[in-house]
Amino acid sequence: MNPHRTVFGATLAAVVLALAPSAVAAGHGPSMTPSTPSPLPTQAYATINADERINVGAGAQSATVDWMFWDGGAQVPVPENDSLVIDARDLAGIASVEVDDPRCKEDLRVVTCVNRDASQSRSVEFTLRADPGAAPGVSGTIGYTLSADHATGATAKAKVVVGTPNLVVGRVPDVTNAGIGSRINVPLRLRNTGDLATDRRIMLRWESVGGLVFDREFSNCAYGEGDDPGEPGSQASVTCVFPISSDSVPAGGTVELSSPLAATVGKRVLTAVTDYSVRLLKPREQPGGGSHQGTGPALTLVRASGPGGGFENGAEGRFTVAADNSADLAADATTEPGRGAGEWTLAINAVNHGPASAYGIDDKAVAVVDVALPKGVVVTGTAHMEEEDSPYGPCLLRVSSTTTAPFEAGHRHYVCTVPFGITAGKSRLFELRVKSAEGYDGAKGTATVRPGPAGIPLHDPDTSNDRVTFAFGTPATPTAAASPGGNPAATGAGRTLIATAAGAALLGAVVLVVRRRGRTH
């Protein structure tokens, strides 16, 4: 919402008129004694938005206060001459306030900022620094007062505390060779590297992709999952909130979970990746998270014992669970004649025969298909579209064994990527439009499935089907009839299909079915 404008809404009278016909039709007509509508405001209402609690240290701590007006649909005059007063007199000996804004002037710890034009920003940024000698934990109050022509006034305040808690997360060890159906424990430690005990609620969050299924055993934790919890493409999450008092972490202190999280390794897991983080919540902030609340006892933070496994440099970490599982990826290819002489459609499928599903990490492809056309044939286009629901995967120009470039027609070597992964038993379709020259002699091209930049080991049990060869025969005539699906109809010898993979011939009918499916087939 634009903070410079008055917010307009529907009036109560308009809402009543809009609802009246339907209410009467439903048998709930107006009462015999009509109620008196609430009077509309004669001036805009003002509201202030600012943090209620600010921790400051010796270094600069930025803060922002902004404001807005609304009129409930009354169409009152636009407020003018906004004046915001920042009163920091209670922070004497605690913290200083600096405002670098031409609209603002300071007088004995009182800063006044004035908007002379209604188009000016209704927001002021300022900086706080703890005063030298101010002890951690000492606090004061900063006040905000807003006034404007044609508007009500508004006030707000924030508690300013000297000292800054700073939580970092411990390193969670990776798990290797996890058995399908086995249960793993996920411990976690926190360390406060700041100079003040945590003075707000602590939120811990785990977000996992790859097929882990977390137990719902703690009452102060919310659990989220996708439509199919056992499928690796479904994201699972755990969000736990700890109160201020008993679960506070002292400055320099280290705590750990009173009990580790427990998770089951799903049957489709190949490599599950879990990101975890810690954050201090603002007053009254709603943490969000999963839709399922735990039913057991509350998870708590207790003093850590033993050396532990070290700590990350910040508030985030990641661990992986590699299952004792494999994904058999294979390449399929079919060629179909196009409408013009020498024009062809090359359909490539990256197929996952399972048993595990394979998913990428951080938008890095779990697998790629290296497509090399024979001499005398070049690519003229690709069916890939940027829409999220496109059935075709993207193909890039291959520059070298380690380098690609954006798609460009007119070349023979491309790399098609599988960024979202492939579920076991399904496939990913790529389609290239190609054209052969008069000198093409029927040589074969190749499509080879390889592990992608995500670096996830596939443990492929059958490498013989990773590569498929294809060739292009005599093209159809430009007048070939089109099939209902938009492809030229097969007419005897006018349709040539040459593709082999592990000695198995691919049928053109299979390709027509595949093309009508979604991203993974």
Side-chain angles (χ1 to χ4, degrees), residues 12-13 87 113 145 178 180 182 209 366 380 388 392 440 455 474:
L12 176 61
D87 188 346
C113 306
T145 303
I180 299 301
S182 64
V209 175
V366 67
T380 60
E388 186 71 14
Y392 303 103
Y440 171 61
T474 304

Side-chain angles (χ1 to χ4, degrees), residues 55-75:
N55 290 91
V56 297
Q61 172 63 49
S62 62
T64 301
V65 55
D66 54 49
W67 61 96
M68 64 178 293
F69 303 99
W70 64 279
D71 63 5
Q75 304 297 322

Side-chain angles (χ1 to χ4, degrees), residues 379-400:
V379 169
T380 60
T382 175
H384 173 66
M385 296 177 293
E386 296 299 331
E387 286 80 357
E388 186 71 14
D389 59 350
S390 172
Y392 303 103
C395 293
L396 306 173
L397 178 64
R398 183 186 186 275
V399 178
S400 69

Side-chain angles (χ1 to χ4, degrees), residues 102-123:
R103 299 172 296 169
C104 305
K105 294 184 179 180
E106 181 180 357
D107 182 20
L108 299 177
R109 288 185 173 269
V110 177
V111 180
T112 302
C113 306
V114 179
N115 276 357
R116 301 298 183 186
D117 189 324
S119 65
Q120 289 180 283
S121 172
R122 287 178 174 148
S123 179

Side-chain angles (χ1 to χ4, degrees), residues 10 69 95 156 239 257 279 337 351 374 406 436-437 456 466 473 499 510 513 518:
F69 303 99
T239 303
L257 301 179
R279 187 164 68 84
V351 184
S436 58
I456 295 177
D466 292 359
V510 174
V513 173

Side-chain angles (χ1 to χ4, degrees), residues 106-487:
E106 181 180 357
D107 182 20
L108 299 177
R109 288 185 173 269
V110 177
V111 180
T112 302
C113 306
V114 179
N115 276 357
R116 301 298 183 186
D117 189 324
S119 65
Q120 289 180 283
S121 172
R122 287 178 174 148
S123 179
V124 171
E125 295 182 6
F126 58 96
T127 300
L128 296 102
R129 285 184 175 85
D131 285 352
V138 175
S139 63
T141 301
I142 187 170
Y144 310 107
T145 303
L146 176 66
S147 62
D149 297 342
H150 314 302
T152 65
T155 61
K157 61 182 180 180
K159 183 177 182 180
V160 178
V161 183
V162 174
T164 305
N166 184 53
L167 292 178
V168 297
V169 294
R171 294 191 182 97
V172 176
D174 295 334
V175 178
T176 59
N177 299 318
I180 299 301
S182 64
R183 293 171 58 79
I184 62 171
N185 288 329
V186 182
L188 184 63
R189 290 190 171 199
L190 301 175
R191 176 174 292 171
N192 184 357
T193 61
D195 58 359
L196 184 71
T198 54
D199 51 2
R200 281 176 279 178
R201 291 170 298 156
I202 299 171
M203 182 186 76
L204 286 173
R205 175 166 288 170
W206 294 261
E207 294 178 297
S208 182
V209 175
L212 292 185
V213 180
F214 290 90
D215 291 356
R216 304 175 186 173
E217 56 181 332
F218 301 113
S219 59
N220 59 324
C221 299
Y223 300 82
E225 57 190 27
D227 296 333
D228 187 354
E231 184 55 54
S234 180
Q235 186 178 69
S237 67
V238 182
T239 303
C240 303
V241 177
F242 302 87
I244 297 174
S245 57
S246 59
D247 289 316
S248 297
V249 185
T254 301
V255 297
E256 61 187 1
L257 301 179
S258 57
S259 180
L261 299 183
T264 301
V265 180
K267 64 180 180 180
R268 301 290 190 191
V269 174
L270 184 63
T271 297
V273 179
T274 304
D275 293 313
Y276 54 97
S277 61
V278 62
R279 187 164 68 84
L280 295 176
L281 295 174
K282 296 180 180 180
R284 293 198 296 272
E285 179 183 354
Q286 297 299 319
S291 57
H292 305 282
Q293 201 70 27
T295 57
L299 184 65
T300 61
L301 300 175
V302 297
R303 289 295 183 95
S305 58
F311 285 83
E312 302 288 353
N313 293 325
E316 299 178 349
R318 166 180 286 182
F319 70 93
T320 62
V321 176
D324 186 10
N325 211 350
S326 63
D328 179 14
L329 296 191
D332 287 348
T334 60
T335 59
E336 292 185 4
R339 293 180 179 275
E343 294 180 353
W344 296 83
T345 296
L346 172 62
I348 303 291
N349 271 287
V351 184
N352 184 1
H353 294 302
S357 296
Y359 284 88
I361 303 174
D362 297 335
D363 294 328
K364 294 180 180 179
V366 67
V368 299
V369 183
D370 189 310
V371 182
L373 300 180
K375 289 183 179 181
V377 182
V378 296
V379 169
T380 60
T382 175
H384 173 66
M385 296 177 293
E386 296 299 331
E387 286 80 357
E388 186 71 14
D389 59 350
S390 172
Y392 303 103
C395 293
L396 306 173
L397 178 64
R398 183 186 186 275
V399 178
S400 69
S401 60
T402 58
T403 307
T404 58
F407 175 83
E408 180 180 276
H411 300 272
R412 296 174 42 227
H413 212 157
Y414 294 84
V415 174
C416 301
T417 64
V418 187
F420 301 104
I422 312 177
T423 302
K426 298 185 179 181
S427 64
R428 179 74 183 199
L429 173 65
F430 308 93
E431 187 175 280
L432 294 172
R433 292 184 290 273
V434 304
K435 185 174 180 62
S436 58
E438 292 183 2
Y440 171 61
D441 61 3
K444 295 180 179 180
T446 61
T448 308
V449 175
R450 308 183 192 281
I456 295 177
L458 302 176
H459 307 296
D460 194 329
D462 182 7
T463 58
S464 66
N465 57 14
D466 292 359
R467 178 171 173 154
V468 62
T469 61
F470 54 85
F472 305 95
T474 304
T477 63
T479 58
S483 68
N487 297 310

